[in-house]
Structures are given as C-alpha cells and as structure tokens.
C-alpha cells in the first residue's frame, strides 16, 4: 500500500508573523522555514500505519514548495518516510486554496496513492480547507479531523472529532484522511534517520509535467485579500478574591454553571 | 570559504534545538534543585542516537561529524548545562578512548552499548593531588599473575556512579620507563571490580544534576586484558582525549551563553520600567549587542576547531583557543544576563540564576583558563 503524506513549509511558528501591507501576504523571507507542526501528526500517523501493516507499505512525503524547501522535506524523511515528491514551480506563487488543491491533486494523481494523510491545517494561513478541497479534486472520499485512523484491507476507518464527541467513519481506498493533534505524539527524527535521509529520493515535478486545464498561481486565484485588520484585543479576565481554596473552587464552579459549561 | 552547514548538520542542530526546548528545558530547574541525575533525558538522548553521535554505525553510533557533535552539545547546553556535560563527557571522555584505542573485542564489549546509550562510562584522570599536573598521577597498577592490582584515588569523575554506569577507564602508573620516568597506562575498570568503590555524589555549585564522584581503589583487581591500548601509552592517549574533549566543553560554554542570551532578550522585551520595555533603553541594547557579538565570535571558533578535526587537520591550537575564549565569553554573557534581569536574576525561579552557577566550571574543567594559556603558549613555541 502506498501512503502519501502532504506537508507544508511554514515560517517558524515561534517567530513573530509579519504581513507585507503591499501584497497582503505573509512575509516568508528572513524567517526560518519549518515543517508545519500539524503535519508532523500526519507523518506520525502514516508511519504508525506502515509499522502496523508492514509488508510493502510505503510512506511518501508530498509537498508543494520551492526547491529550497528540500531541506525541510528531508526532516520528514528523517522521521522514517521512504521517499518524497515535490511540486515546485514559480508559476504556483500566489495560489489560493482552490488553486493549491487543484494543482496538488493533479500532481498526486501522477505520484499515485492508496491513502493520503494530511494535517488539519497549516500554522500560516490556517484556512483548514485544503484536505476537503483536495479530496474533492481527487474524487476520493475525505475523512477529516480524525483522532484515530486504521486500515484494514482496502478499508480505512477512523474516529472523527466533533464539538461534542466523535463519529465513527469508514471509507474504501483510495481515500484521503486528515488527522488532529490528539491522534498521536510525533516522534523526533533520529540521528540515524537524519544520516540516512540524504540517500532517499526526492523527485521534483513542475507544472509543465501536469495536465492542467485551468490557470493556477496568482492568475488563477479565485479569492483576493482585500483588507487586513489587527485582531481585537481580548478583554481582561475577571479577577476574584477567594478567602481560601474551597471558596475559590466554589466561585469557579458557579462561573462554569453560569456559562452552562457544567 | 563556506560557512554553510550541510543538510545533516542543520537537521541535527534543529533536532537538538527542538529536543532541548521541549524535553530538557522544562525539567532543568527541578533536576538542578534536587541534584537529580536526568535518567529519562539520557534515555531519550540515547533513543535519538545522540549518545553515540560521532562514532561509526558499525560501533552503534550515528556516524555524524564533529561539527554536528559541537552543534548538538551547544543546543542541549542552551537549555541545561548538566544534561549537556552528561552527554559531552559520555561521548568525549567515556566512549572516545574505546573508539580510539580499544581492540576489536573491547569495542564490541564496551563501545557498542556506550554509543547506543544503554551504558555510561567514566574517564578517571584527575586525582586529589593531580589536577592540572595530570602527569603526576599517584594511582598505581601492578601486574600480578595476570591481574592488575590497582591502588589510588580519582577525583571529580563525571558519569562514574549512575545506575547505568558500566565502569571507568583510569590512568595509572604501571612501572618505570627506560629513562626512569613513570610509565602511565590506561586501564579499564568495570563497576563490579573487587576493591573499586565510588563516593557519594559531590555537592556542587553548578552542573548539579550531573553525576560526579570520587573513586577509590584498594587492591582493586581487573584482568590483564583490561589494558587499553599498549602499555605505557597512557600519557599520550589522555592528551589526545583531552584535545578532542576541549571542543565539546567549548561548545558547552557557547551553548550556555546562548541560553543566557535567549533569556536576557526575552526578559528585556517583557520587563517594563519607566513606561517602556527595558529593551528600548540603550544601556540594555548595548549589553545585548555585546553579548550576541561575543557569542558569535566564540561559536565560530568552536565550529572552526570542529571543522579542522573533521578535515583531518591539526586542530589542537584551535581547540585550545576555542575552549579558553568560549569559557570566558560564557562568564561575561551569563553575568550580563543576570544584570539585565536585575533582582529577579538573583532568584532561583529564573533560569539565568542557574546558568550563573553552572558557568564557573567552564573556566576550570578540562583545563583551567591558565592551563589553556600555557598550552597555547607552548604551541606558539614559547
């Protein structure tokens, strides 16, 4: 079975985010690029499936990113994935979710897959729309927000997180899943993994190699950022003085009841 | 000239940075306060392959280079010096002698578990009466009927008494040379050798979570085959070990300084006085600029020494220069980091206070500042 994990390269999540007022895009230069933290859960989920299924199961990393992102893709390989494919083309710059999902879908058809594993969102744009859009363009079932995933034969099963519980979901392969942070604890790449990653293959695809029938990049974007505004400052919390621990607990319980949280 | 790190070096650095930030830093204060050995962190470092970082894969290592090793020690020290010295002493002092001088059997028996990190090992050179004057070893080993009988005391031996320590390699006088000088040899002493005992852990000002003990040998007996390398080669061997060890201790100093700088910068941006963050005051800005400048300087010296070692050059001078300078830089940087914190820097709940205590040994261990100057002067031919 071939599992493909989609990963995104994002500006370091610990650095301050800056937005260029002219282009209204996130400034990506001068900031260290890292693997999107949400995608580490997807890689871990794929590696655990591979370890469980054994046999000829492979994990391929896929990323739409400039070729300079190879170094970050190698981190995913160092965690234990078998190989990687990148879609790199200057013509993709400025793609919105629609264009990104479309271009990725065409590339993934070329790469081939039985199961695609995505993170739920990226830490830069945070739309959380890509996994759904990708499943749509690929014409495969999309099981999103899974906190558990398992493959049995040609069936993928999972538990889909909802606001007040979870749904048991099932689909036939080929399929796409996205996994949440509660699914696992991603492993660190080991030194052996790091040293071995340079021997693994990273293939690069360009737009010319794909059968595209619509424009992508900024020309093909269906959405446009018109304006930006700073997030409203959160109001100050309520301070209460409790006479002792028990009184404090009583006040907190009362407050939670008031908000219908208890 | 190329300052670009390789992909592997970058990946190892960022792995260690992440590991140090997420696993080491949150526990450092507690381990230090309780003088508790970080077994869990050692196990995790072993799982990652850090404990055998520079040794070839055939001996259980990861096959990385000295630059990667220096970067790893820097990143761990940035979060906690005790964990960093546990790693650095394990690799440079505990394991390296087996790698450089061990027979095939000794490598299989000792180096593989050491590189895999399931066992720790000490290196016993210093004695209560032989510190900088390391050649003046008083410990004696006498060969009697195929057994080395050892008598003497070793002081300040790192990783010598943990629950997973397998033993210590010691220097001892094994006879006289033809010209009447003491013949020094290295002898492998397993933890269970009869007559070999460890003291309780020292109570230390810094590096409190690391395991440091005094070792005593009273007719301690080990088989003749426990000689490491040729008889009489001990002096030359420990000099070689100390040369390489200087790079890792220098990296530790740089890492500690980087950690103190990180804390000072964060504090300066948060701390408001006279209506603005103190980072807006030139007095604080100048301190931070000087700290960064010195760290960069020391870091380049350490990486250059590591690069010289990796490329097979004579790195002895570069390692001594880096060890001396980075030790002194770490003092100036931690001192200013505490100064920027003001009164809070004197409080144990701020990491800079621990870093201040952890720093001093960087100018003493593995050759004092004074001995480094002596080594440098001799290399200059003076």
């Amino acid at each position: 079975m071939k599992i493909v994990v989609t990963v995104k390269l994002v500006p370091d999540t610990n650095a301050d985010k800056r937005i260029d007022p002219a282009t209204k895009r996130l400034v990506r230069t001068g900031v260290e690029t890292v693997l999107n933290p949400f995608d580490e859960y997807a890689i871990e989920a794929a590696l655990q499936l591979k370890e469980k299924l054994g046999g000829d199961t492979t994990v391929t990393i896929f990323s739409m990113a400039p070729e300079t992102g190879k170094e970050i893709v190698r981190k995913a390989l160092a965690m234990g994935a078998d190989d990687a494919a990148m879609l790199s083309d200057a013509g993709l710059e400025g793609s919105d979710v629609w264009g990104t999902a479309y271009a990725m879908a065409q590339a993934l058809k070329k790469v081939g897959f039985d199961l695609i594993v995505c993170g739920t969102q990226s830490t830069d744009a945070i739309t959380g729309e890509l996994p759904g859009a990708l499943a749509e363009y690929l014409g495969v079932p999309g099981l999103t927000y899974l906190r558990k995933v398992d493959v049995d034969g040609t069936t993928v099963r999972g538990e889909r997180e909802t606001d007040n519980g979870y749904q048991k979901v099932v689909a036939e392969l080929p399929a796409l899943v996205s996994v949440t942070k509660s699914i696992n604890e991603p492993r660190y790449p080991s030194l052996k993994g790091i040293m071995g990653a340079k021997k693994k293959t990273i293939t690069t695809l360009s737009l010319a190699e794909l059968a595209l029938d619509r424009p992508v990049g900024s020309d093909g974007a269906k959405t446009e950022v018109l304006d930006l505004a700073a997030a409203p400052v959160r109001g100050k919390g309520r301070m209460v003085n409790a006479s002792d621990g028990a009184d404090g607990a009583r006040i907190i319980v009362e407050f939670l009841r008031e908000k219908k949280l208890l | 000239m190329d300052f670009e790190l390789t992909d592997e070096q970058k990946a190892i650095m960022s792995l260690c940075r992440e590991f140090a930030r997420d696993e080491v830093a949150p526990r450092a204060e507690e381990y230090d306060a309780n003088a508790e050995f970080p077994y869990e962190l050692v196990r995790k470092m072993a799982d990652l392959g850090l404990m055998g970082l520079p040794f070839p894969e055939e001996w259980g290592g990861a096959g990385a280079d000295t630059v990667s090793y220096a970067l790893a020690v820097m990143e761990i020290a940035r979060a906690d010096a005790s964990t960093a010295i546990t790693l650095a002493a394990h690799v440079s002092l505990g394991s390296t002698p087996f790698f450089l001088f061990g027979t095939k059997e000794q490598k299989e028996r000792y180096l593989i578990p050491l590189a895999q990190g399931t066992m720790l090992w000490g290196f016993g050179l210093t004695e209560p009466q032989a510190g900088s004057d390391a050649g003046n070893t008083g410990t004696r080993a006498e060969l009697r009927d195929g057994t080395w009988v050892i008598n003497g005391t070793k002081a300040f031996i790192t990783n010598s008494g943990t629950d997973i320590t397998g033993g210590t390699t010691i220097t001892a006088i094994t006879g006289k040379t033809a010209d009447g000088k003491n013949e020094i040899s290295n002898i492998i002493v397993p933890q269970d050798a009869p007559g070999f005992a460890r003291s309780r852990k020292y109570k230390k000002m810094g590096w409190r979570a690391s395991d440091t003990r005094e070792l005593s040998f009273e007719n301690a007996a080990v088989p003749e085959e426990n000689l490491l390398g040729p008889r009489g080669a001990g002096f030359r061997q420990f000099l070689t070990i100390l040369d390489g060890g200087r790079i890792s201790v220098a990296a530790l100093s740089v890492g500690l300084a980087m950690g103190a700088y990180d804390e000072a910068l964060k504090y300066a941006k948060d701390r408001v006085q006279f209506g603005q963050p103190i980072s807006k005051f030139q007095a604080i800005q100048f301190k931070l600029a000087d700290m960064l400048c010195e760290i960069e300087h020391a870091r380049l010296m350490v990486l250059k020494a590591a690069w010289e070692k990796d490329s097979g050059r004579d790195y002895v001078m570069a390692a001594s220069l880096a060890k001396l300078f980075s030790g002194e830089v770490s003092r100036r940087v931690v001192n200013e980091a505490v100064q920027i914190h003001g009164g809070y820097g004197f409080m144990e709940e701020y990491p800079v206070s621990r870093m201040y205590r952890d720093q001093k040994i960087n100018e003493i261990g593995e050759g004092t500042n004074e001995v480094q100057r002596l080594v440098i002067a001799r290399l200059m031919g003076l």
Side-chain angles (χ1 to χ4, degrees):
Chain A
M1 185 171 91
K2 182 167 181 173
I3 305 174
V4 178
V5 184
T6 58
V7 303
K8 187 174 187 186
L9 315 185
V10 297
D12 187 355
T13 41
N14 293 310
D16 294 334
K17 288 195 180 81
R18 282 190 304 120
I19 291 172
D20 182 338
T23 62
K24 301 192 179 67
R25 284 195 210 152
L26 196 61
V27 177
R28 290 170 194 272
T29 49
V31 188
E32 208 189 327
T33 305
V34 299
L35 190 61
N36 174 35
F38 285 91
D39 297 339
E40 294 187 12
Y41 298 85
I43 298 166
E44 180 64 35
L47 293 174
Q48 286 184 12
L49 281 174
K50 176 184 156 136
E51 281 157 9
K52 184 190 154 242
L53 297 169
D56 57 354
T57 302
T58 58
V59 175
T60 299
I61 302 298
F62 178 85
S63 188
M64 179 176 125
E67 282 203 64
T68 49
K70 263 191 184 168
E71 189 191 307
I72 316 290
V73 170
R74 286 214 192 274
K75 180 184 173 182
L77 292 174
M79 285 174 76
D82 298 281
D83 56 11
M86 289 178 74
L87 174 58
S88 305
D89 200 302
L92 287 159
E93 212 178 303
S95 294
D96 60 1
V97 175
W98 180 84
T100 302
Y102 174 68
M104 280 177 70
Q106 304 318 309
L108 283 163
K109 280 179 194 168
K110 220 174 156 70
V111 170
F113 62 91
D114 297 298
L115 178 68
I116 292 175
V117 187
C118 309
T120 51
Q121 67 209 66
S122 60
T123 55
D124 49 3
I126 331 180
T127 67
E129 292 167 347
L130 189 99
L134 195 54
E136 185 64 24
Y137 280 119
L138 288 167
V140 299
L143 310 182
T144 52
Y145 296 98
L146 300 190
R147 63 171 201 181
K148 250 187 192 169
V149 65
D150 200 5
V151 171
D152 182 11
T154 58
T155 309
V156 54
R157 291 169 206 282
E159 291 180 4
R160 183 175 200 270
E161 273 184 38
T162 64
D163 284 344
N164 44 16
Y166 67 91
Q167 302 166 331
K168 288 194 168 183
V169 290
V170 61
E172 282 301 299
L173 298 176
L176 175 148
V177 300
S178 77
V179 300
T180 66
K181 281 188 164 186
S182 49
I183 194 164
N184 56 41
E185 192 57 51
R187 67 192 69 185
Y188 291 100
S190 72
L191 256 72
K192 278 197 180 116
I194 289 171
M195 300 307 286
K198 66 179 160 191
K199 292 171 211 136
K200 294 177 178 172
T201 318
I202 302 178
T203 32
T204 312
L205 293 167
S206 66
L207 287 176
E209 295 167 72
L210 306 181
L212 299 181
D213 54 13
R214 315 165 195 187
V216 293
S218 46
D219 293 344
K222 289 192 166 184
T223 55
E224 189 187 347
V225 179
L226 297 177
D227 201 8
L228 295 160
V233 180
R234 235 183 248 176
K236 278 198 175 150
R238 197 174 108 203
M239 292 290 286
V240 290
N241 289 316
S243 50
D244 56 23
D247 185 39
R250 190 186 53 73
I251 294 170
I252 291 168
V253 168
E254 223 166 70
F255 172 79
L256 292 173
R257 285 228 170 92
E258 214 173 274
K259 299 277 172 200
K260 300 210 184 312
L261 291 166
L262 278 182
Chain B
M1 186 154 202
D2 186 359
F3 285 97
E4 187 72 24
L5 298 173
T6 66
D7 282 356
E8 289 82 52
Q9 289 162 349
K10 278 190 231 171
I12 289 170
M13 179 176 72
S14 77
L15 161 68
C16 292
R17 185 172 294 172
E18 245 176 79
F19 174 75
R21 186 190 61 210
D22 298 344
E23 308 276 346
V24 181
R27 293 172 180 83
E29 183 186 346
E30 197 188 335
Y31 282 131
D32 172 78
N34 302 333
E36 182 189 339
F37 187 77
Y39 286 105
E40 197 193 333
L41 293 177
V42 169
R43 187 181 53 73
K44 287 182 175 176
M45 289 196 290
D47 288 345
L48 294 179
L50 290 175
M51 302 299 278
L53 190 148
F55 306 115
E57 280 183 48
E58 60 172 317
W59 302 120
D65 57 14
T66 314
V67 169
S68 300
Y69 173 45
L71 292 167
V73 172
M74 278 181 205
E75 292 300 334
I76 304 291
R78 198 169 177 174
D80 180 37
S82 286
T83 307
I85 188 57
T86 301
L87 168 67
H90 173 74
V91 171
S92 292
L93 303 179
S95 310
T96 299
F98 290 110
F99 175 61
L100 292 179
F101 313 118
T103 61
K104 186 167 174 287
E105 290 72 29
Q106 287 168 342
K107 283 194 177 94
E108 273 163 6
R109 184 161 171 194
Y110 302 108
L111 182 56
I112 290 178
L114 291 175
Q116 289 170 343
T118 53
M119 181 166 85
L120 298 176
W121 203 270
F123 181 65
L125 171 65
T126 301
E127 296 183 2
Q129 304 304 328
S132 295
D133 187 10
N136 192 29
T137 292
T139 299
R140 288 173 184 279
E142 202 184 318
L143 193 58
R144 286 187 211 152
D145 304 327
T147 298
W148 289 107
V149 180
I150 308 162
N151 282 287
T153 310
K154 295 287 174 183
F156 311 139
I157 310 305
T158 304
N159 289 340
S160 62
T162 73
D163 296 346
I164 53 171
T165 299
T168 293
T169 305
I170 61 156
T171 52
I173 299 169
T174 47
K176 291 275 179 201
T177 59
D179 54 356
K181 284 186 182 162
N182 281 335
E183 174 197 86
I184 296 175
S185 306
N186 280 321
I187 297 176
I188 301 163
V189 188
Q191 214 69 335
D192 59 2
F196 174 32
R198 278 76 57 192
S199 73
R200 297 171 63 134
K201 277 165 71 166
Y202 290 103
K203 291 181 179 173
K204 306 191 294 275
M205 174 168 85
W207 288 6
R208 285 170 49 81
S210 75
D211 183 273
T212 325
R213 295 171 197 257
E214 187 169 283
L215 313 181
S216 67
F217 305 88
E218 277 185 44
N219 291 321
V222 301
E224 185 176 1
E225 75 214 30
N226 280 24
L227 189 68
L228 183 69
R231 184 169 174 166
F235 191 78
R236 185 179 50 75
Q237 287 176 352
F238 83 65
L239 288 181
T240 305
I241 292 160
L242 294 185
D243 287 339
R246 283 185 192 122
I247 296 177
S248 64
V249 177
L252 197 157
S253 290
V254 173
L256 180 69
M258 285 159 71
Y261 167 81
D262 292 341
E263 292 297 324
L265 182 66
K266 192 167 69 187
Y267 184 84
K269 284 179 175 172
D270 287 347
R271 173 69 168 172
V272 173
Q273 289 287 275
F274 306 104
Q276 61 179 351
I278 60 170
S279 62
K280 297 288 176 197
F281 294 106
Q282 203 175 49
I284 303 296
Q285 290 173 352
F286 280 18
K287 282 186 197 297
L288 287 164
D290 285 344
M291 288 157 80
L292 188 61
C293 189
E294 289 220 284
I295 290 169
E296 178 70 5
H297 184 169
R299 185 179 158 87
L300 289 174
M301 289 178 82
V302 173
L303 292 178
K304 174 157 179 278
W307 170 83
E308 286 191 354
K309 184 165 189 281
D310 285 333
S311 46
R313 289 170 165 79
D314 179 358
Y315 64 92
V316 177
M317 178 67 122
S320 268
L321 290 170
K323 158 71 172 78
L324 170 63
F325 188 71
S326 59
E328 295 190 349
V329 163
S330 71
R331 163 163 43 84
R332 292 193 284 270
V333 171
V334 296
N335 185 45
E336 289 294 39
V338 170
Q339 193 69 20
I340 287 170
H341 278 70
Y344 287 110
F346 200 61
M347 301 298 123
E348 281 291 341
E349 67 205 82
Y350 283 83
V352 286
S353 121
R354 183 184 76 246
M355 293 168 173
Y356 190 86
R357 288 187 285 100
D358 280 338
Q359 184 278 324
K360 190 63 223 174
I361 190 65
N362 290 348
E363 297 181 89
I364 298 171
E366 300 244 353
T368 61
N369 289 352
E370 293 71 24
V371 163
Q372 291 314 328
R373 287 187 164 85
L374 204 67
V375 170
I376 292 162
R378 283 186 188 154
L379 289 167
M380 288 158 71
L382 301 176

